[in-house]
Amino acid sequence: MIRALLFQVFLGLVAADNGLSAWVRYAPLANSHHFHYAIPSKIVALNTTETSPVYTAGQELQDGLQGIFGKQVTVEHAKCPAASSVVIGTVDEYTKVYGKLQNSPELVEDGFWLSTKGSEVQILGQNERAALYGAFEYLSMLAQGNFSQVAYASNPSAPIRWINQWDNMDGSIERGYGGQSIFFSNGTIVQNLTRATEYARLLASVGINGIIVNNVNANSSLLNETNIIGLGRIADAMRPYGVRIGISLDFASPMEYGLPTFDPLDPSVIEWWTNKTEALYQQVPDMAGYLVKADSEGQPGPLTYNRTLAQGGNLFAKALQPYGGIVMFRAFVYNQLNESDWRADRANAAVDFFKPLDGEFDDNVVVQIKYGPIDFQVREPTSPLFANLHKTSTAIELEITQEYLGQQCHLVYLPPLWKTVLDFDLRVDNKSSIVRNIISGQRFNRPLGGSAGVANVGTNTTWLGSILSQSNLYAYGRLAWQPAQDPESILQDWIRLTFGLDTNVLNAITQMSMESWPAYENYSGNLGIQTLTDILYTHYGPNPQSQDGNGWGQWTRADHLTIGMDRTVTNGTGFSGQYPPEVASMYEDIATTPDNLLLWFHHVNYTHPLHSGETVIQHFYNAHYSGALTAQTFLQLWQTLKGKIDPERYEEVLFRLTYQAGHSIVWRDAITNFYNNLSGIPDEAQRVGHHPWRIEAESMTLSGYMPYAVSPFETASNYTAIVTTSNTTVGTASTVLAYPSGTYDLAVNFYDLYGGISEYKIYINDKQTAAFSADYVDVARLGHTPSIYLDGHSATRITFPGVKVAKGDTFKIVGTPGGIEPAPLDYVAFLPAGVVD
Ligand code: GCV
C-alpha cells in the first residue's frame, strides 16, 4: 500500500508527460497535501444520457478523484439523497428530485453553483454545460490542494466565449504552429475525431462554449453534402463537453455552387443560404452560428454588389434566426493604401466602415473586433470601434496563436497584453466605458457579446506547439469567463495544474511568464511601432523595412531623420479623432501620449526626448538590449527546475528557451543595426556594432566556403555570412584564437533553412569539440513558419557551454550542406561567464 502510494507521488512529479492532457491532468497530489480532506465517497450525476455534459461531468469527477487522491468513487444516477457525495446536475433537475434549494443562487446562462462542505458537494448548473463547468472548477481546486469550504455562484460575464480555428480543408492551418488540423484532411472531415473530443474537454474546463472549426478564409467545399455530414460528426464529438460548433463562410458560395450571383439581396441567394442553413441544422441541431470575413484581404463580400456590410451580415442572420444561431461578422475590413498619401491609414478602416452601420445589423449579429486597429501587434491602442457601436453587439477578437509574437518559439504570456485592451476605459460620453463592460453587453445594454480567441491548435501533443504556450489558451478561457481577473493569479492556477505544487516551479514559471511579453516587446518593436517582423513573408523574425513601401498599411514611415505614424487630427491621418473626446485629446497631444504608444500616434525625430528622458533612438537601443538580456534569464530560471519537472517536458521547454535566448539576440542585433544604419546615430553605450567576443565567419580562412551578403542586411552580423561554394561542397572556416586562455560558452550563429539539413563539426586544434545539425525547421522541432532564405527567420544560435581554449589554439568549423541549405554560418562568439554578445 505504502509502496503504491509512494509510486503515485513519484508519478505525479516526474512521470513522462507529452502535454496532451495539458492542465486537466488529475496528477496525484502528494499525500501530505490532502490528509485532512474527507474525500466524497459517491458521485450522483442527475442525468443518464451519455451525451449529456452532466453525464460527462460524472465521469470527469470520477477520473479526477481517482487521479488526484487514488480513490475509486462510483457514479450513480439514482435520485436519492446521498451522504458524503458530490451531487451534480442542473438546478431544475435538482429541484425536481430534492425540492427547492434553500438559497436559490442567481444564475445566468452557463452559470453554476458550487458548494463544498467537507465531503458533501453540490454542483448545480443553470444548464447542463454549466454543471460541467462547476465540476471542472471543483476538480481544479482539489488538484491545487485547495480544500476550503466554499459556497458561491459563478456566472460568465458574456454569453459568447468562442474559439476560432483557422483550419483549411486540406488539413493545413493558417498561422498554426502545432501541426496539422485535428478536424480536416484532404478536403474533408477526418475519420477519427478523438482529438476533437479531447479538445472540447480542454475548452470546457475553462468555460468555452463554442468553436468555429474552419478558417475565416473559408472554402465553400465545406458546404457540400459529405462535409455537412462530417460537421455533424464533429458536433457529436464535442457535444458531451457542451462545446457547440459553428463554421466560417465563403460569401461567394452560392456562385461556386452554380448560381449566377452572390448578391445578398437576390432572392435566389437568400433561398440558397436558407436551404443550406436548414441542411446544416439537420446535421448539427445545436449549431452555434456563422463567422464571416467579408470584403477583406481578397475575400468576397457584399460590397461587390454595392450592398452594405450590414446587408451582408443580415443575410446570414435571417437564415440563422429560426434556429437561434448567431452571426459573428468580422470588423477586419480594409483596403490597400498608398503610403505616399500622408493621411491614408489602415487603422481608420474599421470605424470608417462600421460606424455608419450602427443600428443596421439584426439582433443576432455580433461584430467581432480585433483588439487593436491593425492586426495583433505586440502593442496597439484599443480599437476605437468598441466606442463607436452603441446599437450593435460586439465581441473582442484575441489571438492565442502567436502569429506576430514568436509563433510559440518565444515564450510570450499574452494576458497582460490583452488586459491593456480589456481594461481600457474609452470614456464614451465621459462615462466609464471599459472594454470588458462593452463586450459583455452591459455598457450599451446589448443582449449579446463576448470574445473570440484564435487558437489554431493542431495534432501536436502540446496542442499549440509548445507546452508553455498552453497558458495562453487556459487564460483566454478564464478571461472570457471573467475578464476582470488578474493574469498572474490565472497563470499560477495554470502552473499548479500543469506542473504541480512545488513553489520553486511556481515562482520560476511565474517570473518568466510575467516578464515575457515586456521582454518580447522590448526586443521586437517598442514605443508603439508594432512588431517589426517581416509582414510580407513569415510574420516571424525581424525585417523592419518590410513594413513600409507597400499597400498593407502597417507603416512606420521611418527615414534617416524621423519615424512613426502621425495619426493626429491636426496634422495626420485623423485616427486619434475616432476615440471619444477624453481619449482623443490624450492621444492627439504628444505631451500626454504614453511613451509606449508614441510612435503609433506621432511622427518624430529619432532624437525626440521621451517622458522617460531617453531619446527615441537610445530607447530603441536600450530596450532591445534589455529585452534580449531578460530572455537569457528565462533559460537560467528554467535550468533551476531540473529534476522538479518530468524529463520530457523539461527537455522540450529547455530546447525552446535555449532557442529563444539565441533568437532574441538575432532580433536585438537586427533592429538596433537597422536603425543605427538608417539614422547614423551611435549607441551612447557603444554596444551596437561592437562585438568584442565575436569572430565573423567571413573573416576566417575559408576553403569551400565563400562570403554571402545577407538580405535583409541587418540579419547578419557585419551584414555578411558564409555559405558553401556549392550544395555538394564541404566548407571549412578556420582561425587562430586570440582570446585569453580559459573556459567559454561557445555560441555559433547559423541559418536553419527549410529544405535541407546541414551538418556542422567544430574542432579545436583538430580535436572535435562539438557537432550539430541544422534540423530545427525541417523536422518541425520548432514549428514556426520556416524560411528558405538566409534572413531573420532562419537565423539561429546554438551554444556549447564550458569550452576550454588557450590563446593561439586553432578553431575550425566544417560545414556539410544538405538539400538547398549551404551550411550557412554567420559568426561564432567565445563568451566568458556572464557575457551576452
Ligand atoms: C486568416 C492577418 C493574418 C491572416 C489572417 C487575417 C485575418 O492578416 O496574417 O493570416 O487570415 O489576419 O485575421 O483574417
Side-chain angles (χ1 to χ4, degrees):
M1 172 69 185
I2 290 175
R3 280 189 55 181
L5 248 175
L6 279 177
F7 180 59
Q8 279 193 341
V9 170
F10 177 76
L11 270 181
L13 290 175
V14 294
D17 187 321
N18 60 12
L20 194 61
S21 45
W23 56 86
V24 206
R25 303 166 69 228
Y26 307 140
L29 269 187
N31 208 21
S32 59
H33 284 116
H34 68 82
F35 63 93
H36 285 313
Y37 185 59
I39 305 163
S41 50
K42 205 194 283 183
I43 297 156
V44 181
L46 299 176
N47 200 311
T48 50
T49 315
E50 290 195 11
T51 52
S52 145
V54 170
Y55 188 93
T56 309
Q59 305 298 305
E60 284 292 332
L61 287 163
Q62 188 177 43
D63 292 350
L65 296 175
Q66 169 76 53
I68 296 167
F69 301 115
K71 178 164 175 178
Q72 272 197 330
V73 179
T74 52
V75 185
E76 293 176 10
H77 304 283
K79 306 197 167 173
C80 56
S84 178
S85 60
V86 185
V87 178
I88 180 149
T90 61
V91 174
D92 286 351
E93 193 58 30
Y94 182 92
T95 314
K96 263 193 239 156
V97 178
Y98 301 113
K100 205 162 163 29
L101 271 167
Q102 269 185 344
N103 298 315
S104 266
E106 293 216 351
L107 298 179
V108 304
E109 185 182 317
D110 289 353
F112 62 85
W113 163 256
L114 173 64
S115 148
T116 63
K117 285 192 195 120
S119 57
E120 305 276 326
V121 179
Q122 249 181 9
I123 306 173
L124 304 178
Q126 182 272 346
N127 57 22
E128 297 216 343
R129 79 165 67 84
L132 176 61
Y133 297 157
F136 277 120
E137 177 124 327
Y138 170 60
L139 289 168
S140 160
M141 285 175 64
L142 299 184
Q144 296 184 62
N146 175 359
F147 308 124
S148 44
Q149 292 209 1
V150 297
Y152 61 83
S154 178
N155 284 311
S157 89
I160 296 169
R161 305 179 305 281
W162 289 10
I163 285 289
N164 289 181
Q165 285 281 139
W166 288 351
D167 296 30
N168 298 315
M169 301 301 298
D170 64 0
S172 61
I173 304 183
E174 185 159 347
R175 315 298 177 192
Y177 314 106
Q180 294 289 103
S181 171
I182 62 172
F183 299 114
F184 305 105
S185 152
N186 289 324
T188 188
I189 284 86
V190 295
Q191 273 314 310
N192 183 345
L193 287 165
T194 312
R195 287 293 297 270
T197 303
E198 289 169 350
Y199 190 21
R201 175 172 179 257
L202 291 189
L203 299 182
S205 77
V206 285
I208 291 168
N209 60 0
I211 181 170
I212 299 291
V213 293
N214 65 310
N215 193 352
V216 283
N217 294 326
N219 187 322
S220 64
S221 69
L222 181 63
L223 300 176
N224 72 31
E225 263 178 52
T226 317
N227 285 336
I228 290 182
I229 293 170
L231 286 169
R233 289 195 296 111
I234 299 180
D236 292 347
M238 303 189 97
R239 189 172 295 113
Y241 285 93
V243 178
R244 298 197 299 162
I245 73 157
I247 57 171
S248 300
L249 298 180
D250 172 354
F251 204 93
S253 299
M255 210 160 175
E256 283 154 40
Y257 282 83
L259 258 56
T261 174
F262 59 90
D263 177 354
L265 298 193
D266 186 287
S268 68
V269 170
I270 295 171
E271 189 189 351
W272 192 89
W273 281 113
T274 308
N275 293 341
K276 231 359 134 189
T277 304
E278 189 188 347
L280 280 158
Y281 274 93
Q282 266 166 18
Q283 296 300 324
V284 188
D286 55 355
M287 190 173 76
Y290 294 144
L291 172 63
V292 184
K293 171 176 178 179
D295 290 303
S296 165
E297 299 185 336
Q299 294 300 308
L303 302 183
T304 310
Y305 297 96
N306 287 325
R307 310 300 189 195
T308 68
L309 294 167
Q311 287 170 323
N314 293 344
L315 165 71
F316 306 114
K318 291 198 167 53
L320 287 167
Q321 204 271 334
Y323 310 95
I326 291 170
V327 185
M328 304 293 285
F329 199 88
R330 292 178 94 221
F332 188 62
V333 180
Y334 67 96
N335 294 320
Q336 291 272 317
L337 298 167
N338 187 342
E339 192 171 356
S340 64
D341 176 359
W342 185 251
R343 298 205 179 264
D345 191 356
R346 168 171 160 187
N348 285 340
V351 171
D352 287 350
F353 276 111
F354 284 85
K355 185 180 160 92
L357 301 176
D358 193 21
E360 292 186 19
F361 287 98
D362 286 356
D363 269 352
N364 58 335
V365 178
V366 177
V367 173
Q368 180 169 314
I369 307 170
K370 289 191 184 190
Y371 60 77
I374 294 282
D375 194 14
F376 302 135
Q377 298 300 295
V378 69
R379 187 183 289 272
E380 295 192 45
T382 298
S383 169
L385 188 55
F386 291 111
N388 284 288
L389 298 179
H390 305 181
K391 291 178 265 172
T392 309
S393 297
T394 57
I396 192 167
E397 184 174 312
L398 301 170
E399 199 180 40
I400 298 157
T401 190
Q402 294 166 231
E403 176 184 351
Y404 291 93
L405 290 118
Q407 303 188 353
Q408 272 84 310
C409 300
H410 290 236
L411 166 65
V412 183
Y413 180 56
L414 297 166
L417 158 62
W418 297 339
K419 287 288 269 185
T420 63
V421 175
L422 289 168
D423 292 347
F424 191 79
D425 190 348
L426 283 158
R427 304 294 304 160
V428 178
D429 297 333
N430 303 322
K431 283 196 208 127
S432 169
S433 307
I434 301 174
V435 171
R436 62 179 134 84
N437 296 334
I438 296 175
I439 57 168
S440 70
Q442 185 202 321
R443 173 65 181 87
F444 298 121
N445 201 15
R446 298 296 313 158
L448 289 172
S451 8
V454 181
N456 295 356
V457 307
T459 49
N460 190 302
T461 61
T462 65
W463 296 97
L464 286 152
S466 91
I467 284 164
L468 291 188
S469 62
Q470 291 180 353
S471 60
N472 289 322
L473 181 55
Y474 175 85
Y476 166 74
R478 292 277 307 268
L479 287 170
W481 186 269
Q482 190 40 264
Q485 288 180 92
D486 169 41
E488 184 166 327
S489 91
I490 296 176
L491 171 72
Q492 295 202 325
D493 287 345
W494 174 79
I495 296 169
R496 284 185 287 259
L497 294 170
T498 306
F499 292 109
L501 307 186
D502 185 322
T503 46
N504 297 302
V505 173
L506 184 74
N507 294 338
I509 303 180
T510 302
Q511 186 183 331
M512 63 175 82
S513 301
M514 291 308 292
E515 290 178 356
S516 61
W517 168 57
Y520 189 82
E521 180 179 30
N522 274 340
Y523 62 74
S524 67
N526 359 84
L527 304 178
I529 197 65
Q530 308 167 98
T531 313
L532 292 169
T533 186
D534 192 324
I535 65 151
L536 304 173
Y537 187 31
T538 66
H539 294 193
Y540 182 61
N543 186 357
Q545 202 158 17
S546 71
Q547 313 281 131
D548 292 286
N550 56 58
W552 291 100
Q554 293 189 208
W555 306 321
T556 69
R557 292 198 184 278
D559 60 23
H560 69 287
L561 288 176
T562 55
I563 185 166
M565 282 287 289
D566 186 336
R567 291 190 158 109
T568 60
V569 174
T570 9
N571 186 48
T573 71
F575 170 77
S576 65
Q578 292 191 339
Y579 291 95
E582 286 181 50
V583 178
S585 62
M586 171 178 72
Y587 290 141
E588 181 73 11
D589 185 352
I590 200 163
T592 50
T593 303
D595 281 348
N596 58 27
L597 284 172
L598 175 76
L599 301 179
W600 183 281
F601 285 102
H602 302 280
H603 183 76
V604 299
N605 289 326
Y606 290 108
T607 51
H608 175 84
L610 303 172
H611 299 303
S612 70
E614 290 170 310
T615 60
V616 165
I617 190 73
Q618 194 56 42
H619 180 87
F620 265 41
Y621 298 148
N622 293 347
H624 281 81
Y625 272 80
S626 132
L629 200 58
T630 306
Q632 316 303 308
T633 66
F634 301 163
L635 179 59
Q636 291 152 10
L637 275 168
W638 187 256
Q639 283 166 330
T640 65
L641 305 183
K642 194 173 168 86
K644 298 182 195 303
I645 286 174
D646 53 282
E648 192 169 355
R649 290 187 298 173
Y650 177 80
E651 292 299 332
E652 197 263 346
V653 175
L654 182 72
F655 170 68
R656 283 171 182 275
L657 292 177
T658 306
Y659 169 81
Q660 179 178 1
H663 200 235
S664 68
I665 293 174
V666 170
W667 264 102
R668 177 197 78 182
D669 290 352
I671 303 299
T672 54
N673 277 327
F674 180 82
Y675 289 104
N676 178 243
N677 187 282
L678 192 63
S679 69
I681 301 173
D683 168 23
E684 281 167 5
Q686 297 187 345
R687 296 155 300 191
V688 179
H690 297 106
H691 302 288
W693 304 100
R694 287 186 188 177
I695 307 170
E696 296 295 337
E698 66 276 14
S699 73
M700 297 188 198
T701 306
L702 306 182
S703 154
Y705 259 129
M706 60 184 183
Y708 180 86
V710 173
S711 172
F713 70 85
E714 69 276 10
T715 57
S717 190
N718 195 35
Y719 315 155
T720 316
I722 59 171
V723 293
T724 52
T725 49
S726 84
N727 277 12
T728 48
T729 309
V730 174
T732 303
S734 58
T735 190
V736 174
L737 298 177
Y739 301 112
S741 304
T743 304
Y744 296 86
D745 285 350
L746 170 60
V748 182
N749 275 60
F750 64 102
Y751 298 85
D752 185 15
L753 276 50
Y754 184 68
I757 300 178
S758 306
E759 303 290 340
Y760 299 82
K761 287 189 176 138
I762 293 168
Y763 300 84
I764 308 280
N765 294 335
D766 286 331
K767 181 164 177 278
Q768 188 177 323
T769 313
F772 64 96
S773 310
D775 65 353
Y776 296 2
V777 292
D778 286 279
V779 295
R781 285 179 79 192
L782 282 169
H784 66 77
T785 309
S787 168
I788 55 169
Y789 307 108
L790 277 72
D791 56 24
H793 323 297
S794 59
T796 307
R797 166 179 287 207
I798 190 166
T799 303
F800 301 96
V803 175
K804 286 198 171 73
V805 291
K807 195 168 183 180
D809 279 354
T810 304
F811 170 88
K812 182 171 78 180
I813 186 159
V814 177
T816 306
I820 66 152
E821 190 178 75
L825 192 66
D826 187 3
Y827 64 91
V828 298
F830 283 82
L831 304 167
V835 170
V836 178
D837 188 16

